[in-house]
């Protein structure tokens, strides 16, 4: 599949419409019909207590990967931080800029500004699943971070370690066996804290902390 085809579900269709309206419901759907809700309303609101529990641990300049509508970048800028959001969705980038935060339309796996100098990388809101390959995502994060930089990741609750193919679908997924989908299926991962540590520690990452807030779970990893 081409990069353009892989990006298509996030560039237009139900995802872009949900960001424009600030409302779901929206899901990732596996071939067997299982649905993972995407929390559009929370993403389009201001940073909440759980978000702030991660943002307080940021160090230096911050790269928010898959920034969505930009609440984390906006919160960091409001606190006087140096932050940049990246996203492959044009609508996400537009909303981030409107919220007062800088953002680029860019894949995490494409060349990025200031590679090797970022103090912190954020992978929240399920973005640890990007690309469906946690090892590749950790390797890319290692390239982007400064020496001894910190990765702040939100993990799936429980002992989860899944790689699958999914579609983005809208609310019709609840009511029909043929939900509205956009673009080709793409690879995604769901990784709990234990699984992320299993991937990270043998490759030189050091666990800095694990915590839960607002029903969400997080881990901090230091680039050794």
């Amino acid at each position: 599949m081409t990069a353009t085809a892989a990006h298509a579900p996030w560039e237009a269709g139900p995802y872009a419409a949900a960001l424009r309206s600030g409302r779901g419901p929206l899901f990732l759907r596996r071939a067997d019909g299982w649905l993972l809700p995407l929390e559009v309303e929370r993403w389009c609101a201001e940073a909440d207590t759980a978000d702030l529990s991660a943002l307080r641990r940021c160090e230096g300049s911050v790269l928010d990967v898959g920034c969505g509508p930009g609440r984390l970048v906006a919160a960091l800028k409001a606190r006087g931080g140096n932050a940049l959001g990246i996203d492959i969705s044009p609508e996400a980038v537009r909303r981030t800029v409107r919220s007062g935060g800088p953002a680029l339309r860019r894949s995490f796996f494409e060349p990025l500004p200031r590679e090797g100098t970022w103090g912190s990388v954020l992978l929240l809101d399920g973005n640890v699943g990007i690309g469906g390959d946690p090892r590749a995502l950790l390797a890319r994060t290692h390239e982007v971070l400064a020496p001894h930089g910190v990765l702040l990741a939100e993990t799936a609750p429980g002992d989860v370690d899944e790689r699958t193919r999914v579609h983005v679908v809208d609310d019709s997924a609840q009511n029909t066996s043929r939900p509205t989908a956009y673009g080709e299926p793409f690879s995604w991962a769901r990784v709990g804290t234990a699984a992320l540590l299993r991937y990270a520690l043998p490759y030189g990452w050091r666990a800095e902390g694990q915590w839960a807030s607002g029903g969400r779970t997080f881990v901090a990893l230091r680039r050794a």
Side-chain angles (χ1 to χ4, degrees):
M1 184 190 306
T2 67
T4 299
H7 294 176
W10 307 109
E11 293 178 338
Y15 180 71
L19 287 193
R20 282 193 294 272
S21 68
R23 298 191 304 275
L26 199 68
F27 307 88
L28 296 183
R29 184 182 190 272
R30 287 191 317 219
D32 63 4
W34 177 88
L35 297 172
L36 175 66
L38 300 180
E39 299 181 73
V40 175
E41 290 86 352
R42 178 172 66 78
W43 299 347
C44 290
E46 294 184 355
D48 61 18
T49 299
D51 296 325
L52 295 176
S53 75
L55 299 188
R56 282 193 294 269
R57 297 168 189 254
C58 289
E59 302 171 4
S61 57
V62 183
L63 182 67
D64 182 13
V65 178
C67 64
R71 76 188 190 285
L72 303 177
V73 176
L76 287 164
K77 295 294 287 184
R79 295 159 64 94
N82 176 14
L84 174 69
I86 60 168
D87 206 292
I88 59 175
S89 162
E91 186 60 34
V93 170
R94 281 192 289 269
R95 284 198 59 139
T96 300
V97 172
R98 286 201 302 268
S99 75
L104 292 176
R105 186 183 175 193
R106 197 74 56 87
S107 165
F108 190 40
F109 294 97
E110 295 173 347
L112 296 172
R114 308 199 298 277
E115 290 201 16
T117 69
W118 293 96
S120 305
V121 167
L122 297 176
L123 285 170
L124 304 190
D125 300 331
N127 286 328
V128 74
I130 289 172
D133 185 345
R135 288 189 181 91
L137 194 64
L138 286 166
R140 178 60 176 144
T141 305
H142 196 280
E143 294 174 346
V144 169
L145 278 170
H148 309 297
V150 65
L151 164 62
L152 298 162
E154 182 175 350
T155 54
D159 189 11
V160 179
D161 187 5
E162 176 187 61
R163 279 156 298 285
T164 188
R165 302 274 288 173
V166 294
H167 274 104
V168 176
V169 297
D170 65 12
D171 62 325
S172 65
Q174 300 180 97
N175 306 311
T176 178
S177 60
R178 298 178 62 83
T180 302
Y182 186 86
E184 298 293 325
F186 56 93
S187 297
W188 196 253
R190 295 177 64 238
V191 184
T193 296
L196 186 61
L197 293 176
R198 285 197 299 271
Y199 290 124
L201 298 185
Y203 292 94
W205 293 89
R206 183 172 73 247
E208 288 275 304
Q210 303 172 40
W211 71 99
S213 179
R216 298 159 62 193
T217 55
F218 303 85
V219 62
L221 295 170
R222 177 78 59 185
R223 178 185 161 179

